[in-house]
Amino acid sequence: MSNNSQYTEKQIKTLGIICIAIACGGTIIALVAVFIGQGNMDMATQPEDMQSLRVVHLILGGVAIFSARLVGEKMLAGKMTPPGEAPQPFFQRYQSSAIIQLAAIEGLTLFGAVIVMTTPASVVANDPTYYLHLTPLVLLWLRALQLYPTQDKLEMAARMYQQ
């Protein structure tokens, strides 16, 4: 372990709590959308109006996942540092990368939940594909577990992104 990747057990625990908290936040949002918020919106929303919103969610999903991963990788590699400044210690880069990636996916989960909440319950009952807009929640949990820090993961990542 190089001097640039020093971190404490407390820092690892804190980042682990952040990863799980972000995933739990997305879960709460999705549960509210399905069990409390669905069908509570004005019936002025028509299924035709929702189709464009559904397409936008699909496109933003791909863009957000790709860009979050790209930014996360660049951040880990230390390429996001302004010219002339020393790169941050590795743990700070890992922490920032994890939070950015999870926040982007949590935003997708929120957007999907808004789609489910704004669609009248009768429309969702006739077209259950609206629930597919909550699938970013699965990705959020998978990514949170993947980014959850352990000593071994951090050491392996530090070696991989060593400058």
Side-chain angles (χ1 to χ4, degrees):
M1 181 169 31
S2 68
N3 291 337
N4 196 24
S5 62
Q6 293 296 321
Y7 40 85
T8 65
E9 219 28 66
K10 185 176 180 181
Q11 288 174 312
I12 293 173
K13 276 185 180 178
T14 302
L15 181 56
I17 290 169
I18 290 169
C19 288
I20 298 302
I22 290 173
C24 286
T27 302
I28 291 169
I29 291 166
L31 290 173
V32 165
V34 171
F35 294 111
I36 297 173
Q38 184 181 347
N40 289 336
M41 297 308 223
D42 186 6
M43 290 301 286
T45 305
Q46 297 299 320
E48 301 83 34
D49 299 337
M50 296 304 296
Q51 294 306 318
S52 59
L53 196 57
R54 294 178 78 184
V55 170
V56 168
H57 184 243
L58 181 66
I59 292 168
L60 283 178
V63 169
I65 292 168
F66 175 75
S67 63
R69 182 69 188 234
L70 181 68
V71 168
E73 291 292 320
K74 286 189 176 287
M75 192 167 285
L76 281 174
K79 295 179 180 176
M80 300 293 283
T81 324
E85 285 188 27
Q88 294 177 320
F90 178 76
F91 185 80
Q92 288 179 342
R93 293 192 320 248
Y94 186 88
Q95 185 175 23
S96 299
S97 172
I99 291 170
I100 287 170
Q101 290 181 56
L102 292 175
I105 300 169
E106 186 180 30
L108 286 175
T109 303
L110 174 60
F111 191 15
V114 167
I115 290 173
V116 171
M117 284 194 306
T118 57
T119 305
S122 60
V123 174
V124 175
N126 290 330
D127 186 5
T129 61
Y130 277 89
Y131 290 118
L132 291 175
H133 290 283
L134 297 176
T135 56
L137 179 62
V138 174
L139 181 61
L140 178 63
W141 272 104
L142 291 174
R143 196 71 180 132
L145 293 174
Q146 183 184 24
L147 293 171
Y148 188 89
T150 62
Q151 192 78 24
D152 292 338
K153 281 183 193 176
L154 289 170
E155 287 177 8
M156 186 173 60
R159 278 194 301 268
M160 188 174 6
Y161 292 102
Q162 194 173 27
Q163 294 181 358

